[in-house]
Amino acid sequence: LGFITVAAFIAMISGRKISLLQRSMLQDSISADQIGGLVKMTRFIFKVALISEAIGALLMLPTFCGKFGLSGIWDAVFHSISAFCNAGFDIMGERTGHFSSLTSFASNPGIVIPICLMIITGGIGFLTWEDIAVNKFHFRRYRMQSKVVLVMTGVLIIVPTLLLFVYEYTGKSLTDRFLLSVFQAVTPR
């Protein structure tokens, strides 16, 4: 979300006015076209980020709690936020093998799919979210930036997924091959 966006959000919820200088810095930090509507955009950013991260955590919760008990709640929340921010931190440590990260969950759709969705959702950016929210499925109305982001994200996920599925992981089941291929295509894109 960025330091400036968080600072602006805290100022907003505490009832302080955001100055023109702060709005200018906020505009630069989120790459907005204009200064007008930045406060509304900041609210929208936090709403979408928190809702997305909560959904991601809820989707991973059954798997993590099933494996780690109540500490699985922290794992689900942490990995949801980490994936949304495209951070890729490893907190599994010795619990699933020596610095194994999520490799022990490579065949688990309850982890792989939410992680991939969180990476994509966080990676497309706030302006693309706004275009999707405002213009729904009217792709022609989107900003050029949103069009490029969505098309290239699709290409950078679909093409490597197909190539990895065909040429890699041949000893695995079809489901495992698909999950591994999607995950390996999404994470570096």
Side-chain angles (χ1 to χ4, degrees):
L1 294 174
F3 177 74
I4 301 296
T5 309
V6 172
F9 185 74
I10 290 170
M12 285 174 8
I13 61 174
S14 67
R16 293 184 38 220
K17 295 286 184 191
I18 298 177
S19 70
L20 186 58
L21 177 63
Q22 291 167 329
R23 288 174 192 258
S24 178
M25 289 180 359
L26 185 59
Q27 177 188 15
D28 290 340
S29 75
I30 63 172
S31 302
D33 297 334
Q34 57 193 5
I35 289 181
L38 285 177
V39 172
K40 183 179 175 185
M41 178 69 157
T42 303
R43 282 191 197 105
F44 175 75
I45 289 169
F46 269 85
K47 186 168 107 178
V48 170
L50 292 175
I51 289 171
S52 298
E53 291 168 350
I55 291 170
L58 288 173
L59 290 173
M60 289 184 276
L61 201 59
T63 302
F64 282 134
C65 284
K67 184 157 179 96
F68 304 118
L70 287 179
S71 69
I73 296 170
W74 166 249
D75 291 323
V77 170
F78 180 89
H79 283 94
S80 180
I81 294 169
S82 178
F84 181 83
C85 296
N86 289 232
F89 292 117
D90 174 18
I91 62 167
M92 290 296 160
E94 299 294 326
R95 293 190 301 167
T96 58
H98 189 64
F99 300 109
S100 64
S101 189
L102 294 175
T103 56
S104 64
F105 299 99
S107 299
N108 188 326
I111 298 298
V112 174
I113 292 171
I115 291 285
C116 288
L117 290 174
M118 297 307 300
I119 290 170
I120 294 165
T121 302
I124 63 172
F126 308 126
L127 297 178
T128 304
W129 293 350
E130 184 184 44
D131 267 346
I132 292 168
V134 170
N135 299 310
K136 308 292 183 243
F137 296 108
H138 301 285
F139 191 73
R140 291 179 186 229
R141 295 184 194 164
Y142 289 7
R143 295 178 187 95
M144 180 57 73
Q145 174 185 333
S146 299
K147 291 177 182 178
V148 170
V149 165
L150 291 172
V151 168
M152 289 310 298
T153 296
V155 169
L156 290 173
I157 292 170
I158 293 169
V159 171
T161 297
L162 292 174
L163 290 172
L164 288 166
F165 185 81
V166 171
Y167 295 110
E168 296 288 330
Y169 315 118
T170 53
K172 305 279 187 184
S173 70
L174 289 178
T175 304
D176 288 354
R177 285 175 69 184
F178 176 74
L179 289 173
L180 290 165
S181 299
V182 169
F183 188 79
Q184 291 300 327
V186 168
T187 53
R189 63 104 209 51

